[in-house]
Amino acid sequence: MTDAMDEILRVWPERFRFRRLVTALHDEENPQEVDAVDAVLSGLANDDDEQSVFLSLLETGDFGMADHLLEESPATRRIRTLRRRLLKNRRSEALQDMQRKASELAQQANDAGFPVPAGLERSLLAEMCRRSLPEARRHLGGIEENLLLAVEAGRQELYARVPQERRETPWNDRLDSLVQAGFLRAAARMIEQGAEDEGPEAVPPLPYWAWADTTPAQVLDWHLDPSRRWPNTFRAWLDIDDTAKALIRAFSGLPTGGHDIAAEFVQALDGFLHPEPQWNGKLDPVGGEFLTVLPSVFASPQLRRFRPQGSVDLFVGGSGTRHPEELPGLRPFVAVGPDMVRRTGRGRVAVLDLRSLLQLVNLRTGRTAALLRILGPQWPLSAFVGETPEQLDEYLGAGEATRWTMLRWIVDLTGLGGATVADAVAYEAGPDPELLQLFLRALARSQEHARTGSRPWLADWRHDREFAASVERAVLRPLEPVPVARIAFWGALAAAASSGPEAGGPEGEVTVSAVLSTVRRIAAEARPDGQDGASEGLPNVPGAPGAPGAPGLPDVPDLPDEEELRGGLAQLARLRLTADASTERVRFIPCGVLLVLGAAAGERLVDTLAEWRARPEESGSGAERTRRAWEWNLRRHALSPDYEDVTALLEENGDIDPADPRWLRLTEQTDDLLAGAPQIDGETDLAPLLRALGAKWESAHPDWTMTIRTPPAAVARVSARAAQVLLYELLANAADALDGSGTGTVSVSVEPQGEDDWLVDVLDSGPGIGFPEGREHLVFRDRKSTRGEGRGRGLFRARQIALRVEGDLTLHARADSHPVLKGAHFRLVLPMA
C-alpha cells in the first residue's frame, strides 16, 4: 500500500466496515501490511458492516481497536452510547476472568510454597484488558507455564527426599496425594516434621475403574475366587490388607440375609475404617432388615464440625432391596445391600454400592474421608453447607487458613470439585457465608443440568440474571434499612471500579472525597437535560459531562450532604465484603462479586438516588408520628372481632382516644385468648407479610433498623391474622429491648427446617433477657416481665397461638448468640402448609 493510498484510506469514512483494513491502518503497536483491495472485497463478500466489525472486535477482545472505532466512526450519538456500554461490559467481563485466573495462580503458588508470581497485580491486568484480552491471556499463560515448571521441579525434589523405609506405606500414599495436587508446602512439612495436612488433598482418590464392560459382581468374583485367571489390570487391586479382604467377604454374604450376616458386615466395615473397634454391636430390626449406628465416620477434628457426634446411621438391606426407604426421623444416612443401586440426584439416603466399595477397599489411608466422598454427593447439600448462612459460618470456623481448609472439604465432600473450584468459589464470594452458600447451592444445581462441553457455570455466573439478582440482594441486605448507606456503597464501588487516580480498584481504599465526587458526577450525568447540575442545589462539578437522553432520573435528585454520606460510608462496616469502613474511607475485600457489581455501580447509584429523593420524611408532624404508632400497635389486636372497626376509626380520625369504649372493648377481646380462636387456622405466606410488617415497624421506630431475610415464599399453616399477631409480638418485644438506645438493629430470618416446619428467628442488639440462667422460661409466663408491672402478655399470648397451630415459640438464647446482635434470640416454629 503506497503512502498516498494510506493517507486516503485513513480518512475514508467507510473504512470501519472492513476489519482487516482498519486494523492495519490504526494498530501502531503491531504494524502490518494488508492488501486494501482484498480486504474490502472480502468484507463485501461477507456482508460486513460497521456494527459487525465492532462486535467482532469485542468478541476477540481487541478493545483498543474497538475504542478507536468508537471514537472515530461516523455513528450517531445513540449508537455510540450503546456501543460504549457494550465495550464497558465486555472489558469488565474480561477483567473478571483475568482476575479469577490470577487468583487461582496466586493460590497455586501459595499451596506450593512459592511467592506470589509477579505480574498478577489488578492494575496491570486492568491496563492490559483496556487494550487487548489476548495480550492479558498470553501474559497469564506465561506465568502459569513458569509456575507449572516450578511445581514439577518441586515434585521431583520432594520425591527424592522421601526416606526409603517410608515408601510403599500409607504415609507415602498421603504424601503422594498432596504432591500430585500441588500442595508441596504441606508435603514438605510431612517429610520434615511428620505433620500431616488437614485438607482433603491428603486423602488419596478412589482408584480408576478400568473395566468398562465388566460388572462389579464379576470383579467381586475375581476377589473371592483365587483360582481364576485375572486380567492384568486387576492384579494391582489384589494388594489389599486383611481388613479389606474381610469386608469383601462380609459383603458377599449379605444376600443370605439375617441378623448375624448383617452384624458380620457392619463389624467388618467398622474394622476396615478404624484400627480399633468402634461399633457397639447393636442392630435394630426394620422389617426384615436392620438399622445401626456406624461410629466415628466424621472422625477428624475438621469433619467433626459437620456432625459433632461423629456417627452416621447405617441401614443394612437384604436381597431385592434396590432403594431403601427414607426412614423418617434420621439425619442423612447410609444404606448398603447386595442389590442396592445409587439414585441420581440428592436425598437423605446415600447408597454404598458394590462398585464404590470395591474401589474403597484399595485405599490404605484416609478411609473414612473417602467413604464420605462416596456419600456426600448423594446427600442434600445442606449436610455440608448448612441450612442457614450462620450454620455455614460455624462449619467454616475462625481464621483464614481454617476457613480455606474447611471450604475445600465442603467442595470435596459434596462432589463439586477440588481445590481449584474451592478457590474460584472463595474468590467470587469472598468471606461472606451467605454468598458462599448461594454460590455452592447454585454450583450444585448447575452441575445437575450441565451440558457436555458447556462453559463452566462458575466462570459465567454473571450472565445468570436470576442468580446475579440474588447475589446483589444478599450483598445489600445489611444496608436495606439505610438508603444513604446504599448510596455510599454504590458510590464507593463506582469509584473503585473507575480507572481514575482517586481509587485503586476494589482491593484498594476508596476515600470519602472519591465517593463524594463520584456521586456528584454520576448524578450530574443522569440529568436528562445534560446540564452540569449547578441549579436546583446540585454542586457544580467542573468537567462533568452532560448526558442528553441518557437513562436516569426524571429530575436532578436531592443529594445527601457530606455528613450524611460520611455516615453512610461508615455503615459499610456491616458488610462482610469490606475489610474496613469509616467516615473517611472504605476498603473492599477483593472478590468477583464486587467486580460484577462494580460494572453496574453507576446505574445502581442512579436508581438509589431516585429512591432517596422519593423517600418519606423520617420525622413528619407530631400527628403523623402518632398515626404511625397507632397503625403499628393496632396489629397486636388482629385476631379480635372488632379489629376492622377500630382500624376504620383510625383511618377516619387519624388518632384513637385511649378512653374510647371501642378501643377498650378491643383490648378486652385481645386479652381473651378464646375470642380470636376461630381465626387462627388457615394458610399464609410469611415472606410478604414480614416485609410489610417490617416497613410498618421501621416507620413506627425510625431510629432503628431491621434486616429481613426470607425465601421467595414461605407458606405456613396459620391464618394471616394469627401470623400477623405472632410476628407483631416478636417485633414489638425487640423494640422494647431497644428502648432508650440511640441506635439499634433487629434481624428476622425465615428458613425451612426439613420438609415440615418454618423457623422464624428474631434477634436484636438490645441488652438481652434479664431473667437469670435456668429461669428463662419465665419470659413466656402470663404477666411476667422484667420491664415492669402490667407487662408480659404479648409473648405469653404469642406462644399460646403458636402451640394452637402445632408450632412453638422458644427463647433460643438469652443473649450473645450473635457477634453483633447480642440481645435475645427468639425462635418461632410454624408448620409448613
Side-chain angles (χ1 to χ4, degrees):
M1 192 162 46
T2 64
D3 291 342
M5 177 67 73
D6 181 82
E7 291 300 321
I8 293 172
L9 291 175
R10 283 181 183 275
V11 295
W12 181 36
E14 293 294 310
R15 66 189 184 281
F16 296 104
R17 292 180 55 193
F18 311 104
R19 176 170 176 171
R20 285 168 51 200
L21 181 62
V22 74
T23 301
L25 290 171
H26 299 285
D27 191 351
E28 297 178 356
E29 292 188 3
N30 301 290
Q32 52 187 280
E33 288 292 330
V34 66
D35 185 331
V37 174
D38 181 67
V40 171
L41 291 176
S42 62
L44 292 172
N46 293 329
D47 200 23
D48 289 342
D49 57 20
E50 185 181 305
Q51 180 70 357
S52 66
V53 169
F54 180 77
L55 293 177
S56 71
L57 292 171
L58 295 189
E59 181 65 27
T60 58
D62 197 349
F63 302 136
M65 287 304 303
D67 251 335
H68 172 73
L69 188 150
L70 185 63
E71 297 302 321
E72 300 294 331
S73 68
T76 65
R77 183 164 51 192
R78 184 181 68 84
I79 291 177
R80 286 186 182 182
T81 300
L82 293 174
R83 287 178 181 171
R84 188 173 289 110
R85 185 177 302 170
L86 287 172
L87 177 57
K88 175 186 174 184
N89 291 340
R90 184 71 181 97
R91 270 181 172 146
S92 174
E93 291 179 3
L95 180 58
Q96 290 158 26
D97 287 339
M98 295 302 97
Q99 278 290 100
R100 184 184 297 107
K101 183 63 178 177
S103 173
E104 290 177 6
L105 294 174
Q107 186 63 53
Q108 289 170 21
N110 181 66
D111 293 337
F114 301 150
V116 175
L120 299 182
E121 300 84 1
R122 181 184 184 275
S123 56
L124 176 61
L125 295 177
E127 182 56 37
M128 287 183 176
C129 287
R130 286 198 65 81
R131 298 192 303 267
S132 168
L133 178 57
E135 177 188 354
R137 285 174 173 161
R138 287 193 298 272
H139 173 74
L140 291 183
I143 293 175
E144 182 177 25
E145 183 177 353
N146 292 334
L147 181 58
L148 290 175
L149 292 173
V151 168
E152 183 56 35
R155 285 193 180 105
Q156 299 309 316
E157 180 188 353
L158 284 172
Y159 282 138
R161 292 166 55 190
V162 176
Q164 185 63 39
E165 65 273 12
R166 288 202 164 187
R167 298 181 183 183
E168 303 300 327
T169 66
W171 179 92
N172 193 70
D173 292 346
R174 294 191 293 274
L175 178 75
D176 185 63
S177 183
L178 285 172
V179 172
Q180 290 304 314
F183 282 70
L184 306 187
R185 183 169 55 181
R189 281 201 307 270
M190 279 189 69
I191 296 173
E192 295 164 3
Q193 307 168 10
E196 296 191 13
D197 187 68
E198 299 176 341
E201 294 75 23
V203 178
L206 294 176
Y208 173 69
W209 187 269
W211 311 287
D213 299 325
T214 305
T215 67
Q218 289 174 302
V219 178
L220 177 64
D221 288 340
W222 295 347
H223 274 286
L224 297 174
D225 186 359
S227 64
R228 292 180 62 103
R229 292 190 61 182
W230 308 296
N232 289 332
T233 53
F234 177 67
R235 294 187 181 277
W237 285 51
L238 290 175
D239 184 20
I240 57 178
D241 63 19
D242 290 341
T243 64
K245 294 175 182 176
L247 180 58
I248 290 174
R249 288 194 301 270
F251 183 90
S252 68
L254 285 179
T256 306
H259 178 280
D260 293 344
I261 296 295
E264 180 183 353
F265 173 80
V266 180
Q267 189 173 18
L269 180 57
D270 178 60
F272 172 78
L273 295 175
H274 309 113
E276 298 294 332
Q278 303 280 322
W279 184 51
N280 62 13
K282 183 181 179 183
L283 278 176
D284 294 313
V286 180
E289 298 166 312
F290 302 93
L291 182 66
T292 188
V293 173
L294 189 63
S296 301
V297 175
F298 292 84
S300 71
Q302 294 76 36
L303 301 185
R304 195 174 288 275
R305 290 174 184 268
F306 302 116
R307 288 206 188 180
Q309 78 278 15
S311 61
V312 174
D313 291 298
L314 172 65
F315 176 80
V316 183
S319 295
T321 300
R322 294 179 60 80
H323 301 295
E325 298 178 5
E326 283 293 333
L327 300 180
L330 299 184
R331 295 184 68 178
F333 64 99
V334 56
V336 65
D339 298 319
M340 285 188 187
V341 294
R342 296 173 59 162
R343 289 177 174 173
T344 58
R346 297 177 183 268
R348 290 177 56 251
V349 55
V351 172
L352 175 59
D353 60 357
L354 177 56
R355 174 170 169 161
S356 298
L357 185 140
L358 292 172
Q359 292 174 288
L360 185 65
V361 295
N362 278 266
L363 297 184
R364 296 182 290 181
T365 183
R367 289 171 171 178
T368 54
L371 174 63
L372 288 175
R373 279 180 176 163
I374 296 169
L375 308 179
Q378 303 179 63
W379 281 339
L381 203 66
S382 59
F384 297 99
V385 307
E387 297 284 356
T388 64
E390 291 76 17
Q391 190 175 2
L392 175 58
D393 209 26
E394 291 178 10
Y395 289 164
L396 293 170
E400 185 175 345
T402 299
R403 293 176 74 86
W404 168 230
T405 298
M406 290 307 302
L407 181 60
R408 280 155 40 212
W409 272 119
I410 289 170
V411 170
D412 182 275
L413 296 181
T414 52
L416 298 180
T420 301
V421 173
D423 179 59
V425 171
Y427 170 73
E428 296 296 346
D432 190 325
E434 184 172 2
L435 290 178
L436 283 169
Q437 200 172 63
L438 275 174
F439 271 92
L440 290 168
R441 288 174 172 169
L443 182 59
R445 288 194 300 271
S446 72
Q447 288 188 353
E448 290 176 7
H449 303 102
R451 300 186 304 275
T452 302
S454 62
R455 178 178 166 88
W457 174 88
L458 196 54
D460 221 22
W461 69 265
R462 58 183 171 262
H463 297 304
D464 184 340
R465 292 188 178 183
E466 184 177 348
F467 177 76
S470 67
V471 166
E472 183 175 324
R473 288 194 298 270
V475 172
L476 290 174
R477 188 170 287 115
L479 307 180
E480 282 178 355
V482 191
V484 72
R486 286 184 279 123
I487 292 173
F489 172 79
W490 290 119
L493 206 58
S498 71
S499 58
E502 75 276 5
E507 73 268 39
E509 283 190 348
V510 182
T511 64
V512 67
S513 60
V515 176
L516 287 167
S517 63
T518 299
V519 170
R520 290 168 179 162
R521 173 179 59 80
I522 291 177
E525 291 175 353
R527 285 176 59 91
D529 58 5
Q531 297 179 13
D532 64 7
S535 61
E536 303 185 42
L538 185 65
N540 263 310
V541 186
L553 306 179
D555 198 355
V556 174
D558 298 323
L559 291 178
D561 59 32
E562 181 173 341
E563 183 178 352
E564 289 173 315
L565 267 176
R566 285 179 178 272
L569 200 66
Q571 291 287 332
L572 302 191
R574 296 177 177 213
L575 303 178
R576 295 292 292 262
L577 299 184
T578 53
D580 181 49
S582 67
T583 57
E584 298 298 325
R585 59 184 51 82
V586 61
R587 184 158 57 90
F588 291 112
I589 294 173
C591 66
V593 162
L594 290 184
L595 278 173
V596 172
L597 295 183
E603 293 86 345
R604 295 293 191 275
L605 178 58
V606 169
D607 295 338
T608 310
L609 286 171
E611 294 176 23
W612 169 267
R613 184 174 186 270
R615 75 195 188 284
E617 291 297 327
E618 290 191 355
S619 56
S621 66
E624 178 61 25
R625 289 197 301 272
T626 300
R627 179 186 179 87
R628 292 203 300 263
W630 275 112
E631 285 180 340
W632 168 244
N633 287 309
L634 257 177
R635 295 172 183 277
R636 164 174 282 152
H637 309 281
L639 286 173
S640 303
D642 289 353
Y643 171 71
E644 293 183 355
D645 291 341
V646 178
T647 301
L649 179 66
L650 177 64
E651 289 291 331
E652 181 179 345
N653 299 332
D655 198 354
I656 297 176
D657 184 353
D660 190 299
R662 289 167 291 187
W663 171 253
L664 296 175
R665 185 168 63 250
L666 182 71
T667 58
E668 291 174 1
Q669 292 172 352
T670 298
D671 283 342
D672 180 4
L673 290 175
L674 297 178
Q679 301 186 64
I680 290 178
D681 295 330
E683 293 185 3
T684 304
D685 188 346
L686 301 177
L689 175 61
L690 188 52
R691 287 193 289 269
L693 283 174
K696 291 293 183 184
W697 187 92
E698 289 186 320
S699 179
H701 307 292
D703 294 333
W704 305 322
T705 59
M706 178 180 294
T707 60
I708 297 173
R709 186 170 62 247
T710 73
V715 182
R717 202 167 66 244
V718 62
S719 72
R721 291 281 185 88
Q724 179 172 292
V725 172
L726 288 168
L727 296 173
Y728 167 86
E729 295 295 357
L730 288 171
L731 299 182
N733 180 75
D736 286 342
L738 299 178
D739 192 23
S741 61
T743 60
T745 304
V746 175
S747 168
V748 188
S749 65
V750 180
E751 295 285 348
Q753 184 180 50
E755 299 178 354
D756 301 318
D757 295 309
W758 292 107
L759 301 183
V760 183
D761 288 297
V762 180
L763 295 84
D764 62 66
S765 60
I769 295 297
F771 289 114
E773 189 172 354
R775 305 277 288 169
E776 299 92 340
H777 62 279
L778 294 177
V779 74
F780 296 111
R781 186 165 292 178
D782 195 13
R783 303 187 191 280
K784 190 77 173 179
S785 174
T786 59
R787 300 192 181 108
E789 293 296 323
R791 308 292 294 275
R793 290 288 292 169
L795 292 176
F796 163 74
R797 181 165 168 263
R799 187 160 193 267
Q800 299 307 308
I801 295 171
L803 292 172
R804 285 285 300 261
V805 296
E806 299 180 346
D808 202 356
L809 177 59
T810 61
L811 177 61
H812 200 63
R814 295 164 59 249
D816 296 326
S817 70
H818 188 276
V820 177
L821 303 167
K822 295 182 176 294
H825 177 178
F826 285 91
R827 171 166 287 176
L828 172 65
V829 182
L830 291 174
M832 290 183 178

